[in-house]
Structures are given as C-alpha cells and as structure tokens.
Amino acid sequence: MCGIVGYIGTKDSSTDFVLAGLKALEYRGYDSAGLVTIDNGRLKYLRDVGRVANLEKLVKRNGHPAVATRDNGLSGEGNFSESSGQSRTSGTAAGAAQQKIDLSAKSTGGVASSAGQQASAANVSCGIGHTRWATHGSVTEFNAHPHANSSRSIFVVCNGIIENYQDLKADLIKKGYKFKSETDTEVIPHLIDHYLKTGDGFFAAFKTAIADLRGAYAIAAVYTEEPEKIYAARLSSPIVIGVGNGEHFLASDPSALIHKTKKVIFLNDFEVAEISANKAHIESLDKTRKEITQVVELDYDHEESELGTFPHFMLKEIHEAPMTIKSAIRGRVKPDIKTIKLGGLESVKQQLTLIDRIIITACGTSYYAGLIGEYLIEEIAGIPVEVQLASEFKYRKEPLSRGTAVIAISQSGETADTVAAIKKVEDYGILKLGIVNAVGSTLTRITDAGVYCHAGPEQSVATTKAFLAQVTILTEIALHLSDGKSKLFTPLLKELTNLPDKAQKVVELAPAIEILAKKYAHYRDFLFIGRNYLYPCALEGALKLKEISYIHAEGCSAGEMKHGPLAMIDENFPTFALACDSSLLDKTMSNIEEIKARKGPIIATATVGNKKIKSIADDVIYLPKTAEQLQPILSVIAMQLFAYYIAVEKGLDVDRPRNLAKSVTVE
Ligand code: M6R
C-alpha cells in the first residue's frame, strides 16, 4: 500500500514524471498524495487529501503546465520461464511551499549503474512523490507525504510501517524535535537531520537513520543541499530503480516507469541507494550480504489499460472473463493430444514427482481461489492439500517435510503477507511455487518456479478476472500433477476449452443481473451458500459484495446453516445460493427449502434446465452446464456482476472502495 515515485535527471520534468507515476500507482492507495521537486534551485512542496487528480490541480494552480496521464499494466515473464492530526487547510496553496535553494552540493558514490553525460545540479530535475493508504494517522494533509524536518531541507516518503516509531519519536522529542503529523514516517526526516549533525554527509546520515528503523518499508528521500540526488532504501516493501540515459527513475513497481526504461534495479532488503542522474550507487546495510543487486532488463512491454466505453474498470474486467480464461489455457491445454503443458513448471519437473503434500498460501480472493485449488488437486491429483491464510502461515510453527511444496497465489505478486509466507520457507529447502498475475513482481522473483495468470492489468481494487485465471490455472496444475491418470483428465481438458464461450454467456446476463441487483440493493445483510466446489466460491461472492457495496455479507457452507447461521434468517436477510447441478444438489436444495421456510428471500444460480429451483427461489440466474469442478468459474462471474450492480445502485465508488487498496504491502 502507498505508491512511491521519484525522478532525477536532465531529460524530463520531475513533476511530470512524478504525477504520471503517482497516477499509475494510485491503485496502491488513494486517500492523499504529495510531492516535492527541486528544479533550477526552486523547491516545490505540495500535498493534498484525496486522489492524485487533486494534487495535479494543486500543481497547476502553483504554476505547472498540464500533465500527461497514463495507466499502468504489464505483460511478459519473470522467474516463471514462460502528531497532531490537524485537519486539512483546504484551498489553493494548502500545503504548498516554494523556496529558492542553493545548488552548490557535490556528487559522490560508487557505481552499480552509470549512464550518459555528466549532469550538473543546475540542470537536474529532482523529485519524489507519494500516494497514501493511511496506516498511522487519519486522512489529512498534514499526514500526507512527503514529510519534512523542521527546516524543510530533508523530505521523505515511505511505504510500509515503522514499528519502533514511538520509541524513536520519544527520543527525538527529548532532543527538541517537533512533530507535525500523526504518522510513523515523520520520524525519518528528523532522524536523518539528527545524524547529519555528525558531519559525515547526507548519505551517511540516511544510512544510520535507516539502520535504526524496525518494520517493513520502502523509502525515498531528497535533501535540498544535494538537489542532484535522490535516496532510497528497502526492507520487505518493493522499490525499483529505472536506469535511463542521464536520468534515473524510482517507483514502487515497474508499471510506473516501464514506459521510460526497461533497465531496472530491484532493491533487495537492507539495501540503500544514492542515485544521481548518471549513477545509482547501492550498498547493503546487511554486512553478511556480499552481493549487491544488479541491473536487469525487463522483457515485457507496458500494457495500457483503457476504460473504453465502460463506466468502471470493474465492469470492463468482468467482461474480459472469456479472454482471461483463453489466455490462461492458451498453449497449455491441448485436449487433441491429451496433454497439459505448463512451461513455467518445466524447470522443477523432477521435484514435482516427489511431492506428497501441498500448502497453498494467499490472502483475500486469492485465498478463496486456493481453497478451490484444494478441492481440485485432492480430487484430480490425489495429493493432500492445506490452504492457509498467508497472514497466519507466516507465523505458524509447524513441521514441514521435504516432500512439501508451497504454492503462493497472488494477483499483484506484492502482497506483504504472501511474500513473507514464501520468505518463511526459504531455508527449508522445499519447493516454492507461484501463481501470479503481475509480471516481474516480488513473488515471481522469490519462488522457484510458477505459472503466470496472463490476465492482464487489473485496475479495479476488487479483483475479478484474476480469480478466474487463478482457478483455471489451479485446474491445470491439478491435471498436470495427476500425470494423465485421473479419470477427469480428458473430460476436464476438453471442458476447459469450452469455458470461454460459456463465460461469455454468463457475461451476457449482465442486464438481467442488473435488474436483480436493483431489487436487492436495499438489504443490509446477505448470506452466500454453496457446497463442495461452490463453498469457497460462496466465500468469494460474499467478499466481493462487502468490499464494494459495504453490505454485510457472509459466506457459508450450505451444510453448516443448521449449525448456527440459520438463526439469522428472516425476511430481511437474503441468501445467494449457489445451486448448480452436482452430486450434492439435492442436499443444497434442502438447505434452500429450510431458508425459505424461515421467510428468507433467495436468489439462486442454477444449471440451465433446473425447473424445480424456480418453485423455491425468488429469483434464479441460469448458468450454462459445465463440469462440477469448473462451476466456480462461471458462478463467480454472476456474483461479480451482482456485487457490481448493487454498488452502482448505491452510488458508490466501485473501482476505489473506501479503506482499501489494490496491493496490500503492509501487514
Ligand atoms: O494481490 P493479491 O492477490 O495477493 O491480493 C490479495 C488480496 O488482497 C486481494 O485478493 C483482495 O482480497 C481483493 N481486494 C479482493 O477483491
């Protein structure tokens, strides 16, 4: 959460790059934004609450020309070869500061990357920016980043959490430092200010300050006395340096800079960087580490994500369901030659034959996809699977045998808990696999192998198409692990290829689902039920609804209703029942009857041809017939549309729901 960008160079305007970069990273947080730039000796320091667009307006009012906009997105390969809380003082120059500074500082530092001609401080444009998802302190301009020391010579932006900030703050207050915000980040500029007094220069003070911090962070800083440099540090939160010709870029993920350069340096944990237009000098604060991260060339292109004629990205992404499934099976599922080919797992082919237990770890929607994966792998490949929330798994002390493989599932590839879960097993010598959508993201670099979702960029905070890709790939992995021995192997290979057309039929139900959503939008509670493969799918339906409509929703196994949840049912508590044809359909139908008997309104999804359900449910959404194992893929599209239209009916910000961010990079 929180997006960081930075620019140092002679080619571009730091303000332009920072604003465009912040827009590309807005999915990481969108409650306030800010920047600091130094151009031709002029310091510009602007912050505002709300979206990056508000900051952009503030910049324009403060005399900057119009700024180009862009969207983020990626495609390609990675390791997977294939204090006070003042309220906002609104208005034009709120939080704005401009001052003239001295440009006499000299450049220092070793070399990890160097390029281009020499740049003097006078013609260098320097800036850092931040889009915030509040952790410490409410959403006010004073809590927006960058944060500065009292003399406003040191500016810092941070993504993450400084766990020991209260101790540091107490020490600094004793030393006479004064704080203006409630944030943890504000300790950093004051700490650097304090260490600067030793006289060893800014980089030395920066490193000493960073060494004092505990927690997880990505940090960027500028110092007005050295306006030809920006500084960066990382511990457990992503930050990448883009290497240009006579310029360097900084961003929380490559999507914000890949349109400028494909040469990048992914900072490792404990690394710090001193970056000028021509040099990126990197050191590790971890003395046991001998290797410093190097420049790598990204081998994928920037993928624009345009809204087109859709009113929201969420609706657009739901409509991409058929294409998403096609991309997830393309080149992998070959029913004609009865083969499944997962190129990303080729390098670990031998190890895969030895595994006798799988742990799937993930968060949120990816976790629910993992639960469906558990049913799939156990039924098709016969390998025991456990699914664990990454936030729990990373702290659990459980025995892990060498025959265990861990699969991390993540759309973003940056979720802090999922990354930590994989890091936890790094020294166990067990196989670490990933199912990831964002190309080149952290998880693709720290797993041994994996399978890309190829779902394309997702802009909506509520994930939709990535879930479809994840479940499709889990089906492929299950088939791959079964080595053709499962009786489901041939039928499922074939049915996977039929799925895009069937998904299209569900997408075409949008107008009918919109009418239903209008009917149900006024309810305050909702239950989602299902059995077997449709149980985890019900959990995902509930998450989708609560996430974007703020309606209280719970997912429940239909068989569990009598064990408690049934007590909640009355005429004001509707149930969304997943009741497609299966060996357990009669049991689900009985559960629906029990809800009906208690006057609970019922919407059901059912397989085309099921007439009986019409007499029980108030409303029925008919879905195309498919294999039981693949029903979650079609059912979830209907639930996504339902949640979407309810949120629209309630007039909510569908793509940017309150309190959430797309990439959760803090614990
Ligand atoms: O990027 P990831 O898949 O690791 O994200 C995990 C969850 O944060 C994510 O699925 C979240 O639950 C979504 N906002 C749900 O729509």
Side-chain angles (χ1 to χ4, degrees):
M1 350 248 328
C2 300
I4 290 178
V5 278
Y7 179 82
I8 183 85
T10 54
K11 302 277 176 65
D12 211 338
S13 140
S14 57
T15 310
D16 284 354
F17 179 78
V18 166
L19 279 172
L22 289 181
K23 285 193 168 176
L25 296 181
E26 201 172 39
Y27 71 90
R28 303 176 75 92
Y30 37 85
D31 60 44
S32 54
L35 58 73
V36 62
T37 59
I38 310 171
D39 284 301
N40 295 317
R42 191 157 290 281
L43 179 92
K44 190 183 286 178
Y45 178 33
L46 299 161
R47 297 179 294 174
D48 207 347
V49 293
R51 299 289 178 81
V52 176
N54 292 4
L55 177 68
E56 192 177 10
K57 283 184 202 142
L58 193 58
V59 168
K60 281 183 194 163
R61 287 201 292 269
N62 279 272
H64 187 81
V67 177
T69 63
R70 56 178 298 279
D71 295 304
N72 69 330
L74 308 169
S75 76
E77 298 288 308
N79 238 10
F80 311 173
S81 50
E82 264 182 351
S83 139
S84 56
Q86 295 96 322
S87 62
R88 174 187 172 209
T89 46
S90 63
T92 45
Q98 295 208 28
Q99 65 191 71
K100 193 83 180 154
I101 54 165
D102 179 28
L103 291 173
S104 57
K106 295 278 175 300
S107 173
T108 56
V111 182
S113 91
S114 79
Q117 72 282 15
Q118 290 304 310
S120 77
N123 60 17
V124 166
S125 183
C126 160
I128 54 174
H130 186 268
T131 178
R132 180 173 186 244
W133 184 87
T135 58
H136 296 65
S138 48
V139 179
T140 65
E141 185 199 303
F142 278 89
N143 287 333
H145 300 213
H147 291 284
N149 61 337
S150 304
S151 64
R152 287 190 166 178
S153 60
I154 301 164
F155 295 86
V156 173
V157 293
C158 174
N159 164 26
I161 290 178
I162 310 303
E163 285 168 1
N164 60 336
Y165 88 102
Q166 278 170 322
D167 293 343
L168 294 169
K169 189 169 174 176
D171 271 1
L172 287 161
I173 288 171
K174 271 191 216 144
K175 292 186 172 88
Y177 284 93
K178 295 205 168 22
F179 284 76
K180 290 187 174 143
S181 77
E182 300 163 302
T183 67
D184 49 350
T185 300
E186 199 186 351
V187 297
I188 307 170
H190 292 309
L191 209 51
I192 300 172
D193 182 291
H194 169 66
Y195 287 125
L196 254 182
K197 290 175 187 155
T198 60
D200 295 330
F202 186 84
F203 193 38
F206 180 74
K207 286 187 283 184
T208 316
I210 296 296
D212 280 355
L213 307 179
R214 304 280 168 271
Y217 52 74
I219 289 168
V222 294
Y223 180 38
T224 58
E225 301 291 315
E226 294 182 7
E228 75 283 14
K229 288 180 192 160
I230 54 178
Y231 298 84
R234 168 195 159 123
L235 178 60
S236 299
S237 271
I239 193 151
V240 57
I241 301 168
V243 181
N245 189 14
E247 57 188 351
H248 279 99
F249 313 89
L250 201 62
S252 296
D253 82 48
S255 66
L257 54 76
I258 198 167
H259 61 299
K260 294 285 185 184
T261 180
K262 287 189 177 180
K263 283 190 196 159
V264 297
I265 301 165
F266 289 101
L267 277 195
N268 287 317
D269 284 352
F270 299 108
E271 285 181 346
V272 286
E274 182 188 45
I275 312 160
S276 61
N278 301 306
K279 286 179 188 169
H281 168 83
I282 295 157
E283 289 177 23
S284 178
L285 298 180
D286 176 359
K287 298 296 168 217
T288 62
R289 266 187 81 96
K290 293 200 178 65
E291 295 214 345
I292 291 295
T293 189
Q294 293 298 323
V295 180
V296 292
E297 183 112 13
L298 297 174
D299 63 356
Y300 52 88
D301 286 313
H302 170 63
E303 216 180 301
E304 287 288 343
S305 183
E306 300 289 344
L307 198 47
T309 54
F310 289 94
H312 298 100
F313 277 106
M314 184 174 174
L315 187 62
K316 174 181 183 256
E317 288 157 12
I318 296 171
H319 276 74
E320 286 167 5
M323 186 48 76
T324 302
I325 302 166
K326 263 186 206 155
S327 302
I329 62 176
R330 187 175 298 124
R332 294 169 174 164
V333 174
K334 303 179 179 193
D336 43 338
I337 51 168
K338 298 202 168 122
T339 303
I340 185 112
K341 188 171 165 27
L342 295 174
L345 300 183
E346 280 296 303
S347 61
V348 294
K349 208 169 153 187
Q350 192 55 33
Q351 281 159 283
L352 283 176
T353 61
L354 303 174
I355 58 171
D356 54 17
R357 178 190 180 209
I358 292 174
I359 294 178
I360 296 178
T361 187
C363 304
T365 292
S366 301
Y367 169 73
Y368 296 139
L371 288 176
I372 296 171
E374 177 180 12
Y375 284 78
L376 287 164
I377 296 171
E378 291 195 341
E379 181 175 10
I380 299 169
I383 299 172
V385 179
E386 252 175 77
V387 191
Q388 298 202 26
L389 286 165
S391 53
E392 291 297 319
F393 177 64
K394 70 179 177 180
Y395 293 118
R396 270 183 74 166
K397 295 179 177 57
E398 64 190 297
L400 292 172
S401 66
R402 290 297 293 272
T404 305
V406 175
I407 305 179
I409 307 178
S410 175
Q411 188 286 127
S412 63
E414 299 292 355
T415 301
D417 288 326
T418 315
V419 168
I422 286 294
K423 285 190 174 169
K424 164 187 151 167
V425 298
E426 249 161 16
D427 298 330
Y428 287 62
I430 60 177
L431 187 60
K432 306 180 296 294
L433 304 174
I435 298 174
V436 177
N437 191 38
V439 178
S441 54
T442 301
L443 272 173
T444 69
R445 286 180 277 117
I446 63 174
T447 44
D448 301 314
V451 185
Y452 270 119
C453 291
H454 291 316
E458 257 193 358
Q459 293 284 335
S460 159
V461 163
T463 185
T464 53
K465 58 180 179 166
F467 178 83
L468 303 190
Q470 290 165 348
V471 178
T472 306
I473 288 162
L474 283 160
T475 314
E476 291 167 356
I477 290 178
L479 293 168
H480 182 75
L481 292 174
S482 81
D483 208 15
K485 293 189 188 100
S486 166
K487 64 178 187 323
L488 291 168
F489 190 82
T490 308
L492 281 182
L493 273 190
K494 190 163 185 321
E495 185 57 8
L496 276 169
T497 60
N498 295 331
L499 218 50
D501 288 344
K502 294 185 180 179
Q504 179 59 36
K505 293 213 162 66
V506 185
V507 167
E508 285 164 12
L509 297 174
I513 295 176
E514 182 177 9
I515 294 169
L516 275 188
K518 285 191 169 128
K519 177 174 165 191
Y520 287 90
H522 66 282
Y523 285 101
R524 297 183 56 175
D525 305 281
F526 243 99
L527 201 63
F528 287 73
I529 61 166
R531 276 176 185 264
N532 205 11
Y533 285 95
L534 293 175
Y535 160 49
C537 191
L539 300 178
E540 169 58 7
L543 177 65
K544 212 82 306 163
L545 186 65
K546 66 184 143 196
E547 185 176 25
I548 58 167
S549 76
Y550 318 147
I551 292 174
H552 162 239
E554 280 185 44
C556 181
S557 152
E560 275 294 294
M561 287 298 289
K562 290 192 212 53
H563 302 288
L566 201 56
M568 299 188 294
I569 296 299
D570 62 16
E571 64 276 21
N572 297 314
F573 206 127
T575 298
F576 197 117
L578 301 177
C580 283
D581 289 0
S582 77
S583 49
L584 298 179
L585 179 60
D586 287 347
K587 295 190 189 302
T588 305
M589 294 287 267
S590 303
N591 300 132
I592 296 173
E593 296 270 18
E594 287 153 9
I595 293 167
K596 192 74 198 158
R598 278 133 191 111
K599 299 193 170 53
I602 291 159
I603 309 172
T605 51
T607 304
V608 170
N610 180 347
K611 293 196 183 104
K612 193 175 159 201
I613 198 153
K614 269 201 147 171
S615 61
I616 315 172
D618 298 274
D619 294 286
V620 181
I621 302 170
Y622 281 108
L623 303 177
K625 189 170 176 54
T626 188
E628 190 178 348
Q629 294 74 12
L630 301 178
Q631 280 169 0
I633 296 178
L634 300 184
S635 305
V636 84
I637 301 171
M639 291 191 294
Q640 291 168 352
L641 285 166
F642 186 70
Y644 169 78
Y645 284 117
I646 286 198
V648 170
E649 178 66 14
K650 293 181 79 179
L652 298 171
D653 190 347
V654 178
D655 286 337
R656 297 283 181 264
R658 70 183 182 202
N659 307 339
L660 300 179
K662 182 97 185 135
S663 186
V664 185
T665 55
V666 294
E667 275 195 58

